[in-house]
């Protein structure tokens, strides 16, 4: 497992192989300290908003769901120790507008919790939820090495036809930080 010390959110337009239309999604980038290895995950609006509030240190008038979960864990005498994105599975989806079927990677993740008595609890979670919880708990986020290797081989293209993920991790850290949402 490799610790992901950099986290960025930005909007991206890209095209799945074989699809005629572009998609716009909010992308979470989890990268190592030097931005040489990383993973990109498309997020829904709610998950992106939850992660963004932590990254930007924004106050909310009421707690968000991930705030509540971390608070409950603490009140039960436990702590979120880390989050792990440990595996991917292929998943076929059909694009609504075009009817094109594409294969995407479905990441599996977990949140690790430890009680005061030392009991370890593993909770299955979507990667976006695992990241949101870890960020709030100030816990490390780890990604399996093999996922990082696969990530640079994937074939997403941006609107200019460039391989999205390869281009992303060729950028310098200062350039990447310009893309924050």
């Amino acid at each position: 497992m490799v610790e992901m010390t950099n986290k960025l959110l930005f909007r991206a337009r890209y095209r799945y192989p074989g699809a005629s239309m572009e998609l716009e999604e909010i992308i979470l980038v989890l990268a190592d300290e030097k931005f040489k290895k990383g993973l990109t995950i498309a997020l829904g609006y709610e998950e992106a908003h939850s992660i963004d509030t932590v990254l930007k240190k924004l106050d909310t008038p009421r707690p968000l769901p991930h705030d509540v979960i971390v608070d409950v864990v603490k009140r039960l005498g436990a702590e979120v120790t880390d989050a792990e994105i440990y595996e991917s599975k292929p998943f076929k989806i059909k694009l609504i507008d075009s009817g094109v079927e594409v294969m995407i990677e479905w990441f599996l993740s977990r949140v690790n919790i430890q009680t005061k008595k030392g009991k370890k609890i593993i909770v299955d979670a979507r990667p976006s939820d695992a990241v949101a919880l870890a960020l709030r708990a100030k816990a490390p986020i780890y990604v399996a090495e093999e996922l990082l290797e696969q990530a640079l081989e994937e074939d997403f293209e941006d609107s200019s036809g460039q391989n999205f993920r390869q281009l992303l991790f060729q950028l310098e850290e200062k350039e990447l930080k310009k893309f924050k949402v």
Side-chain angles (χ1 to χ4, degrees):
M1 292 282 192
V2 177
E3 184 173 357
M4 300 288 103
T5 55
N6 289 296
K7 298 101 183 161
L8 301 171
L9 276 176
F10 63 94
R11 291 186 187 277
R13 292 185 67 78
Y14 61 91
R15 178 181 297 117
Y16 284 101
S20 59
M21 59 182 244
E22 287 183 353
L23 300 173
E24 182 172 299
E25 293 188 302
I26 300 171
I27 304 294
L28 170 65
V29 178
L30 299 173
D32 66 0
E33 189 174 354
K34 297 183 183 196
F35 280 93
K36 296 301 174 198
K37 292 183 178 181
L39 193 68
T40 59
I41 302 170
L43 301 177
Y45 174 78
E46 293 298 325
E47 295 84 359
H49 173 69
S50 181
I51 290 168
D52 200 37
T53 60
V54 177
L55 293 177
K56 291 182 178 173
K57 299 178 179 153
L58 301 175
D59 289 325
T60 57
R62 299 290 301 144
L64 297 175
H66 297 107
D67 297 316
V68 173
I69 293 168
V70 170
D71 189 41
V72 168
V73 168
K74 285 180 185 175
R75 288 174 185 242
L76 291 172
E79 68 174 333
V80 174
T81 58
D82 61 69
E84 298 176 335
I85 302 172
Y86 61 91
E87 189 178 343
S88 69
K89 297 216 181 235
F91 183 70
K92 189 184 291 190
I93 64 168
K94 186 180 259 189
L95 300 176
I96 296 170
D97 292 343
S98 65
V100 172
E101 288 189 350
V102 295
M103 293 297 288
I104 62 170
E105 291 296 313
W106 191 348
F107 295 108
L108 303 179
S109 63
R110 57 185 158 236
V111 176
N112 296 308
I113 297 171
Q114 186 163 348
T115 67
K116 284 183 182 175
K117 292 182 179 181
K119 181 179 179 183
K120 294 182 180 185
I121 301 166
I122 299 170
V123 180
D124 183 38
R126 298 179 303 177
S128 56
D129 294 324
V131 168
L133 291 169
L135 288 173
R136 280 171 171 70
K138 296 178 177 51
I141 299 165
Y142 298 102
V143 175
E145 184 79 42
E146 57 270 16
L147 294 180
L148 298 174
E149 299 302 324
Q150 290 171 9
L152 290 177
E153 296 171 9
E154 296 209 0
D155 190 21
F156 286 86
E157 293 179 353
D158 71 5
S159 54
S160 67
Q162 298 225 358
N163 183 299
F164 177 69
R165 290 188 175 140
Q166 285 180 358
L167 178 66
L168 183 64
F169 289 102
Q170 289 169 3
L171 296 174
E172 295 294 320
E173 179 178 355
K174 64 182 182 199
E175 294 171 310
L176 269 172
K177 290 189 176 180
K178 294 178 191 174
F179 294 109
K180 284 188 177 180
V181 171

